[in-house]
């Protein structure tokens, strides 16, 4: 059966390098950068939220140099071998997380894989903070109550929630986003920090120590930090636990039935990392059995679906994977993704520091002649810029 072509919007039809974006992305700088460098840019405008592997193969066609794709797509050997066969060697996720990408398959096919670190750190941490407050103070439940016309006057017992000040926030995965979130909770709500990560979060530790001293100098109680050696320790100690690790084999179902049972009965669990880090069925049971326990989720195990029962629970706050959805961040993600693809097609080296991408985002100057972040740079033998030479 013949299939009709997917709808696309074309920029610079006579450009020599063909770059595809599987989705329209915010802003226009990313398109301009590619067009100015001689690319023909094709943006898939098909009205279908998640494109299948076959859809993307059809987009790639017989000649394609690079692709910008999305975290909802399954980038495995099938797509990377199609891209290679079409002459392509550059792919970038428009996301920092790349658990949807089989990096080994990309490397085998000679395709560089980009991601978009740094530009979404604060935006994502802010949503995690918003979820924390919504859960602690029962904002969504109260909003529903109000709109349902149930409010008939102030009561001493109406929607009692949790005070954050002086409580302990637990971070699992204290990388860029986890540390930024921890700082927000420390500065904003004077919470103490307990964290678990494979690596020491030295900058976070120094910040909390210095902030604690500042508070003391103001005659206030200091804040403290503690690095613990097991996930269990965080779960036992914290009043709020926020998850920010990468999703891989070591973090799949990191939060399960047994670990939920270790948490305080009135704790709050926040997840703005990846859904499968939590065993969502176990979480639903835990929320049902413990009405004082609350969860606030931006991500879900079987996105876009929720496990049965979750949507009916008043002690769960659920939002549709919007943690990075600020205008500045989403435009920046699109720009970084385009710069990854363009940099690889131009033969540029790879930037030295995924935590420092500001020069690529400055609209008033030409971006550096580098790929901002290529995760398989070493395995592909790509040149990596030395910080000192910048
Ligand atoms: N909900 C959303 O819209 C967004 C979700 N994310 C997710 O957040 C993740 C983290 O992003 P960044 O902070 O930028 O990455 P990052 O690489 O700076 O931080 C991840 C941290 O996880 C730690 N980690 C790895 N394995 C671990 C384990 N087994 N146990 C504990 N910690 C472990 C790492 O050591 C690292 O410190 C992304 O990979 C992505 O999946 C990121 C942006 C937006
Ligand atoms: O960047 C990511 O990993 C996201 O989940 C969306 O911003």
């Amino acid at each position: 059966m013949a299939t009709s072509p997917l709808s696309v919007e074309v920029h610079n039809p006579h450009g020599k390098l063909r770059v595809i974006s599987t989705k329209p992305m915010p802003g226009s700088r990313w398109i301009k950068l590619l067009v100015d460098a001689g690319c023909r840019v094709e943006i898939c405008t098909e009205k279908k939220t998640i494109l299948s592997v076959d859809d993307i193969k059809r987009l790639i066609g017989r000649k394609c140099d690079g692709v910008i794709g999305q975290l909802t797509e399954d980038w495995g050997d099938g797509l990377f071998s199609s891209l290679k066969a079409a002459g392509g060697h550059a792919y970038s996720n428009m996301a920092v997380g790349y658990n949807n990408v089989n990096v080994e398959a990309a490397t085998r096919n000679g395709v560089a894989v980009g991601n978009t670190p740094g530009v979404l750190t604060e935006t994502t941490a802010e949503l995690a903070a918003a979820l924390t407050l919504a859960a602690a103070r029962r904002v969504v439940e109260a909003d529903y109550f109000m709109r349902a016309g149930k409010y008939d006057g102030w009561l001493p017992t109406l929607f009692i929630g949790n005070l954050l000040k002086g409580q302990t926030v637990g971070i699992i995965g204290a990388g860029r986003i986890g540390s930024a979130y921890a700082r927000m909770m420390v500065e904003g709500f004077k919470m103490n920090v307990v964290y678990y990560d494979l690596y020491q979060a030295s900058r976070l530790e120094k910040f909390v120590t210095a902030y604690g001293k500042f508070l003391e100098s103001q005659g206030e109680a200091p804040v403290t930090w503690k690095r613990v050696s097991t996930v269990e320790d965080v779960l036992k100690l914290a009043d709020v636990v926020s998850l920010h690790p990468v999703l891989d084999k070591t973090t799949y179902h990191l939060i399960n039935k047994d670990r939920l049972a270790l948490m305080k009965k009135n704790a709050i669990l926040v997840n703005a990392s990846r859904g499968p880090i939590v065993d969502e069925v176990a979480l639903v049971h835990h929320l049902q059995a413990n009405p004082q326990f609350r969860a606030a989720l931006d991500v879900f195990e079987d996105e876009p679906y929720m496990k049965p029962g979750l949507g009916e629970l008043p002690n769960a706050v659920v939002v549709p994977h919007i943690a990075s959805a600020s205008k500045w961040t989403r435009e920046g993600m699109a720009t970084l993704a385009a710069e990854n693809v363009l940099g690889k097609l131009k033969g540029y080296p790879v930037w030295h520091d995924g935590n420092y991408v500001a020069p690529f985002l400055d609209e008033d100057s030409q971006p550096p002649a580098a790929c901002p972040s290529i995760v398989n740079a070493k395995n592909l033998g790509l040149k990596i810029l030395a910080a000192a030479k910048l």
Side-chain angles (χ1 to χ4, degrees), residues 259-283:
R259 285 181 165 162
L260 285 165
L262 298 174
M263 294 180 72
K264 296 184 183 180
K265 288 286 177 216
N266 65 344
I268 293 167
L269 179 69
V270 179
N271 190 8
S273 55
R274 284 290 182 269
I277 289 172
V278 176
D279 176 345
E280 202 172 296
V281 169
L283 177 63

Side-chain angles (χ1 to χ4, degrees), residues 71 95-99 115-118 120-121 123-124 127 171-179 196-199 201 231 243-251 254 271-274 277 298-299 303 321-325 330 333 355:
L71 59 84
V96 65
Y98 53 90
N99 52 286
N115 72 337
T116 65
L120 35 62
T121 301
T123 297
T124 304
L127 196 274
I171 312 293
I172 297 178
R176 284 177 291 253
I177 298 169
S179 291
Y196 172 76
D197 197 302
L198 309 180
Y199 302 97
V231 170
L243 307 173
H244 298 284
V246 298
L247 170 62
D248 62 14
K249 284 185 199 128
T250 69
T251 58
L254 187 88
N271 190 8
S273 55
R274 284 290 182 269
I277 289 172
D298 177 54
V299 288
E303 247 167 75
H321 203 149
I322 55 167
S324 66
R330 286 284 166 87
M333 289 163 71
N355 295 320

Side-chain angles (χ1 to χ4, degrees), residues 1-248:
M1 192 175 71
T3 45
S4 54
L6 295 166
S7 54
V8 289
E9 176 186 303
V10 181
H11 297 254
N12 193 28
H14 302 296
K16 291 215 160 40
L17 296 164
R18 181 168 175 255
V19 174
I20 289 165
S21 172
T22 61
K23 285 283 162 203
M25 301 190 291
S28 54
R29 185 167 179 241
W30 69 274
I31 301 173
K32 186 170 177 347
L33 285 167
L34 289 166
V35 164
D36 288 355
C39 301
R40 171 189 165 104
V41 179
E42 290 185 28
I43 304 170
C44 181
T45 51
E46 194 72 14
K47 296 266 171 275
K48 182 177 181 189
T49 303
I50 301 180
L51 296 184
S52 67
V53 166
D54 280 346
D55 292 332
I56 299 172
K57 281 187 180 171
R58 283 164 62 203
L59 284 173
I60 290 172
R62 289 156 78 162
K63 193 237 177 238
C64 175
D65 298 284
V67 181
I68 300 167
Q70 300 298 324
L71 59 84
T72 46
E73 298 157 4
D74 180 8
W75 279 86
D77 194 59
L79 284 179
F80 287 120
S81 52
S82 293
L83 183 56
K84 182 185 180 187
H89 55 99
Y91 170 78
S92 184
N93 243 17
M94 183 214 168
V96 65
Y98 53 90
N99 52 286
N100 62 310
V101 179
N102 181 339
V103 180
E104 273 174 29
T107 307
R108 247 189 340 267
N109 285 286
V111 179
V113 174
N115 72 337
T116 65
V119 68
L120 35 62
T121 301
E122 301 295 325
T123 297
T124 304
E126 283 182 11
L127 196 274
L131 287 175
T132 308
L133 285 172
R137 299 306 301 276
R138 307 175 62 185
V139 173
V140 177
E141 275 178 88
D143 178 282
Y144 271 111
F145 178 86
M146 198 70 199
R147 289 168 199 270
K150 292 183 179 168
Y151 181 52
D152 54 9
W154 189 90
L155 280 174
T157 50
L158 195 59
F159 287 110
I160 290 177
N162 302 6
L163 175 71
L164 297 177
K165 188 174 179 197
Q167 303 280 295
T168 297
V169 62
I171 312 293
I172 297 178
R176 284 177 291 253
I177 298 169
S179 291
Y181 167 83
R183 284 181 56 149
M184 286 174 195
M185 304 319 284
V186 167
E187 280 183 282
F189 306 103
K190 315 288 179 285
M191 296 186 84
N192 299 306
V193 176
V194 56
Y195 80 92
Y196 172 76
D197 197 302
L198 309 180
Y199 302 97
Q200 185 176 10
S202 317
R203 288 181 65 190
L204 175 63
E205 291 176 3
K206 280 190 191 131
F207 173 81
V208 180
T209 302
Y211 192 60
K213 285 189 180 141
F214 167 74
L215 289 175
E216 269 184 316
S217 76
Q218 303 299 306
E220 293 184 50
V223 284
T224 61
W225 61 266
K226 185 173 185 182
R227 182 184 178 196
V228 292
S229 53
T230 65
V231 170
E232 283 76 8
D233 287 337
V234 174
L235 300 178
K236 283 183 210 159
L237 291 169
D239 302 287
V240 173
V241 173
S242 197
L243 307 173
H244 298 284
V246 298
L247 170 62
D248 62 14

